[in-house]
Amino acid sequence: MDYQSILEDIDAQVRPLLGREGRVASYIPALARVSPHRFGIALRTCDGEEAAAGDATTPFSIQSMSKVFTLTLAIRGLGEALWQRIGREPSGSPFNSLVQLETERGIPRNPFINAGAIAVADRLLSQGADAKAHVLEMLSGLCREPVHIDAEVAQSEADTGFRNTALANFMRGFGTLDNEPARVLDVYFNQCAIAMNCLQVARAAGYLCRDGAHPYDGTAVISETQARRVNALMLTCGTYDAAGEFAFRIGLPCKSGVGGGIVAVLPDRLSLCVWSPALDPTGNSLLGRMALELFVARTGLSVF
Ligand code: GLU
């Protein structure tokens, strides 16, 4: 398949629509300044072939896409014990909702809503290592390029993260978190503020289409079963409360972030990342989603 011309065609179709619809996330001030006139798309196949188009090498804030990688680290460190404090069901509620946590006694529905990712960050802290450094090291090792945290975005998140602070305190009250909320949130805000480009994300997610094997050296990042589970969670819970719609229209495990990125995986074939900052009302990249629809329509690739 000529992936390079497919991605270039998608770029050509999407580019005239930039800036027309959708809104850049504004609740984190540093994100509100990002231009909506950006679109990038990149993929890497399991055999190492790569293709990219548009702004595929422009760094952006990976935001909740980081949750895939912190989950991977936590699963690797804790195995099944991780699920004692975190569920595996779609939430059907907004990603920063407090309501469900109250009725479900402080156990987040899944690791991809904010509460769940904060609980994962707590687990990483309890594993002892410097959690922030650990995440950066993992991502740099996976995409074979240095990856850094955008300090301005991290500060902006910390300054305005009142709901996330509420979620962390609430879970600490229920005993879901072992560590002080401020320390846990520091990990969470910083992981969300990591800057990467589409090509780097597509490379980094390569282990998810290779049964858990590192995209470059083939060593086990996680086991085959664990990789399958991360993919299952991405399909059912990875795109906020639009996960059903994503499965219906696209049919690939995906994880989105409010920076406008979406990472998608087709097991045994490829990993892909698309980025366009303007979001739809569910918090997913509007043109990113459209680009994924175009990609599956054009290639016929999907898990179904
Ligand atoms: N840092 C964002 C928040 O916690 C991440 C949200 C997202 O990308 O879904 O609100």
Side-chain angles (χ1 to χ4, degrees):
M1 192 141 11
D2 184 356
Y3 289 119
Q4 185 58 36
S5 18
I6 293 172
L7 297 197
E8 281 169 15
D9 287 353
I10 292 173
D11 178 53
Q13 263 181 280
V14 166
R15 203 149 278 277
L17 306 175
L18 288 176
R20 288 222 195 138
E21 280 180 66
R23 299 185 58 165
V24 172
S26 57
Y27 73 104
I28 300 171
L31 293 185
R33 292 195 279 279
V34 178
S35 165
H37 295 269
R38 295 289 205 165
F39 174 78
I41 185 164
L43 65 77
R44 181 180 166 90
T45 68
C46 293
D47 306 326
E49 181 190 343
E50 293 185 341
D55 302 310
T57 54
T58 305
F60 62 94
S61 191
I62 68 169
Q63 291 294 315
S64 281
M65 291 195 298
S66 65
K67 295 170 183 173
V68 172
F69 302 102
T70 51
L71 173 66
T72 297
L73 282 176
I75 283 184
R76 185 162 79 187
L78 287 163
E80 289 301 301
L82 178 68
W83 306 114
Q84 286 163 7
R85 295 190 196 175
I86 303 171
R88 301 185 293 257
E89 292 294 342
S91 72
S93 309
F95 63 95
N96 54 9
S97 170
L98 275 153
V99 179
Q100 224 161 33
L101 261 190
E102 166 81 51
T103 51
E104 298 180 1
R105 310 214 42 83
I107 302 294
R109 268 285 172 104
N110 67 64
F112 291 150
I113 51 173
N114 286 11
I118 292 168
V120 168
D122 175 73
R123 307 286 68 219
L124 293 183
L125 271 176
S126 294
Q127 282 180 51
D130 175 346
K132 284 187 276 183
H134 205 184
V135 179
L136 285 179
E137 199 183 302
M138 179 210 200
L139 285 169
S140 306
L142 283 169
C143 73
R144 292 277 153 107
E145 282 179 23
V147 166
H148 73 278
I149 292 166
D150 182 327
E152 190 199 346
V153 174
Q155 189 58 50
S156 194
E157 300 231 13
D159 291 344
T160 56
F162 305 110
R163 291 186 75 114
N164 288 322
T165 304
L167 290 168
N169 280 312
F170 206 51
M171 287 191 287
R172 174 81 172 158
F174 274 112
T176 304
L177 303 188
D178 284 342
N179 298 281
E180 281 312 309
R183 287 187 64 218
V184 180
L185 288 167
D186 181 55
V187 174
Y188 176 73
F189 292 143
N190 278 280
Q191 74 176 67
C192 290
I194 289 172
M196 290 175 78
N197 63 45
C198 290
L199 200 49
Q200 291 172 330
V201 174
R203 289 174 179 155
Y207 66 98
L208 291 172
C209 68
R210 299 181 86 218
D211 295 333
H214 190 288
Y216 287 92
D217 63 28
T219 54
V221 177
I222 44 178
S223 72
E224 182 182 344
T225 307
Q226 288 169 334
R228 209 178 297 154
R229 289 178 168 176
V230 174
N231 283 328
L233 285 163
M234 287 170 71
L235 185 77
T236 53
C237 314
T239 45
Y240 313 117
D241 43 341
E245 194 66 12
F246 264 74
F248 184 80
R249 289 176 179 270
I250 296 162
L252 295 175
C254 291
K255 179 75 202 91
S256 52
V258 293
I262 306 176
V263 57
V265 177
L266 181 63
D268 301 324
R269 288 296 279 268
L270 55 85
S271 44
L272 186 153
C273 177
V274 58
W275 169 58
S276 192
L279 309 178
D280 68 15
T282 63
N284 294 292
S285 169
L286 194 119
L287 293 177
R289 169 165 159 175
M290 183 187 195
L292 288 173
E293 285 190 58
L294 291 170
F295 180 78
V296 298
R298 175 81 183 267
T299 60
L301 297 174
S302 136
V303 295
F304 300 111

Short mmCIF file of all heavy atoms in Angstrom, two decimals, residues 27-28 63-64 67 95 114 157 164 188 192 240 256-258, ligand 1:
data_model
loop_
_atom_site.label_atom_id
_atom_site.label_comp_id
_atom_site.label_asym_id
_atom_site.label_seq_id
_atom_site.Cartn_x
_atom_site.Cartn_y
_atom_site.Cartn_z
N TYR A 27 -9.38 25.89 28.25
CA TYR A 27 -9.38 25.87 29.72
C TYR A 27 -7.96 25.73 30.29
O TYR A 27 -7.74 25.92 31.47
CB TYR A 27 -10.32 24.77 30.24
CG TYR A 27 -9.81 23.37 30.06
CD1 TYR A 27 -9.29 22.67 31.14
CD2 TYR A 27 -9.84 22.74 28.82
CE1 TYR A 27 -8.81 21.37 30.98
CE2 TYR A 27 -9.37 21.47 28.65
CZ TYR A 27 -8.86 20.79 29.74
OH TYR A 27 -8.37 19.51 29.58
N ILE A 28 -7.00 25.38 29.41
CA ILE A 28 -5.60 25.44 29.81
C ILE A 28 -5.01 26.59 28.99
O ILE A 28 -4.86 26.47 27.76
CB ILE A 28 -4.88 24.11 29.50
CG1 ILE A 28 -5.56 22.97 30.26
CG2 ILE A 28 -3.39 24.20 29.87
CD1 ILE A 28 -5.08 21.57 29.86
N GLN A 63 -0.90 15.82 25.86
CA GLN A 63 -2.03 15.76 26.78
C GLN A 63 -2.43 14.32 27.13
O GLN A 63 -1.61 13.54 27.51
CB GLN A 63 -3.20 16.58 26.22
CG GLN A 63 -2.91 18.08 26.22
CD GLN A 63 -2.78 18.64 27.63
OE1 GLN A 63 -3.58 18.35 28.50
NE2 GLN A 63 -1.73 19.40 27.87
N SER A 64 -3.69 13.96 26.89
CA SER A 64 -4.14 12.65 27.37
C SER A 64 -3.61 11.47 26.58
O SER A 64 -3.80 10.33 26.99
CB SER A 64 -5.67 12.60 27.39
OG SER A 64 -6.12 13.26 28.53
N LYS A 67 -1.57 9.18 28.59
CA LYS A 67 -2.18 8.17 29.48
C LYS A 67 -1.94 6.74 28.99
O LYS A 67 -1.93 5.80 29.77
CB LYS A 67 -3.68 8.46 29.65
CG LYS A 67 -3.93 9.79 30.37
CD LYS A 67 -5.39 10.22 30.35
CE LYS A 67 -5.55 11.59 31.03
NZ LYS A 67 -6.90 12.14 30.91
N PHE A 95 -14.54 13.65 30.60
CA PHE A 95 -13.27 13.11 31.09
C PHE A 95 -12.87 13.63 32.45
O PHE A 95 -12.06 13.02 33.13
CB PHE A 95 -12.16 13.39 30.07
CG PHE A 95 -11.88 14.86 29.83
CD1 PHE A 95 -10.89 15.50 30.54
CD2 PHE A 95 -12.60 15.57 28.91
CE1 PHE A 95 -10.60 16.84 30.32
CE2 PHE A 95 -12.34 16.92 28.69
CZ PHE A 95 -11.36 17.55 29.39
N ASN A 114 -9.59 11.43 33.48
CA ASN A 114 -8.58 12.09 34.31
C ASN A 114 -8.38 11.40 35.65
O ASN A 114 -7.24 11.21 36.09
CB ASN A 114 -8.96 13.56 34.53
CG ASN A 114 -8.72 14.39 33.29
OD1 ASN A 114 -8.47 13.85 32.22
ND2 ASN A 114 -8.80 15.70 33.43
N GLU A 157 -1.20 24.17 33.42
CA GLU A 157 -2.11 23.12 33.92
C GLU A 157 -2.20 23.18 35.44
O GLU A 157 -3.28 23.04 36.03
CB GLU A 157 -1.56 21.73 33.57
CG GLU A 157 -1.41 21.53 32.10
CD GLU A 157 -2.07 20.26 31.63
OE1 GLU A 157 -2.84 19.64 32.38
OE2 GLU A 157 -1.81 19.91 30.48
N ASN A 164 -8.92 18.80 38.47
CA ASN A 164 -8.02 17.66 38.68
C ASN A 164 -7.58 17.60 40.15
O ASN A 164 -7.43 16.51 40.71
CB ASN A 164 -6.81 17.77 37.75
CG ASN A 164 -7.20 17.49 36.31
OD1 ASN A 164 -8.02 16.61 36.04
ND2 ASN A 164 -6.63 18.23 35.37
N TYR A 188 1.09 14.03 37.00
CA TYR A 188 0.01 14.07 36.00
C TYR A 188 0.11 15.30 35.09
O TYR A 188 0.04 15.19 33.86
CB TYR A 188 -1.36 14.01 36.71
CG TYR A 188 -2.50 14.15 35.75
CD1 TYR A 188 -2.84 13.11 34.89
CD2 TYR A 188 -3.21 15.35 35.65
CE1 TYR A 188 -3.87 13.25 33.97
CE2 TYR A 188 -4.23 15.50 34.74
CZ TYR A 188 -4.56 14.45 33.91
OH TYR A 188 -5.56 14.59 32.99
N CYS A 192 1.05 15.28 30.94
CA CYS A 192 0.15 15.87 29.94
C CYS A 192 0.89 16.94 29.13
O CYS A 192 0.55 17.19 27.97
CB CYS A 192 -1.07 16.51 30.61
SG CYS A 192 -2.22 15.32 31.31
N TYR A 240 -12.82 9.76 25.18
CA TYR A 240 -13.81 10.40 26.06
C TYR A 240 -15.16 9.71 25.88
O TYR A 240 -15.22 8.52 25.65
CB TYR A 240 -13.87 11.91 25.79
CG TYR A 240 -12.51 12.55 25.70
CD1 TYR A 240 -12.06 13.15 24.53
CD2 TYR A 240 -11.65 12.51 26.79
CE1 TYR A 240 -10.79 13.73 24.47
CE2 TYR A 240 -10.38 13.07 26.73
CZ TYR A 240 -9.96 13.68 25.56
OH TYR A 240 -8.72 14.22 25.48
N SER A 256 -7.17 10.01 22.36
CA SER A 256 -7.05 11.41 21.98
C SER A 256 -6.58 12.25 23.16
O SER A 256 -6.60 11.80 24.31
CB SER A 256 -8.40 11.93 21.49
OG SER A 256 -9.38 11.64 22.44
N GLY A 257 -6.17 13.48 22.86
CA GLY A 257 -5.79 14.43 23.89
C GLY A 257 -6.35 15.79 23.53
O GLY A 257 -6.57 16.07 22.34
N VAL A 258 -6.55 16.65 24.54
CA VAL A 258 -7.14 17.96 24.23
C VAL A 258 -6.16 18.91 23.52
O VAL A 258 -6.54 20.01 23.14
CB VAL A 258 -7.75 18.66 25.48
CG1 VAL A 258 -8.95 17.91 25.99
CG2 VAL A 258 -6.71 18.87 26.56
N1 GLU B 1 -4.32 17.94 31.01
C1 GLU B 1 -5.68 17.78 30.60
C2 GLU B 1 -6.57 17.77 31.80
O1 GLU B 1 -6.23 17.17 32.74
C3 GLU B 1 -5.79 16.52 29.84
C4 GLU B 1 -7.13 16.33 29.27
C5 GLU B 1 -7.15 15.53 28.02
O2 GLU B 1 -6.28 15.64 27.16
O3 GLU B 1 -8.09 14.74 27.93
O4 GLU B 1 -7.59 18.35 31.85
#
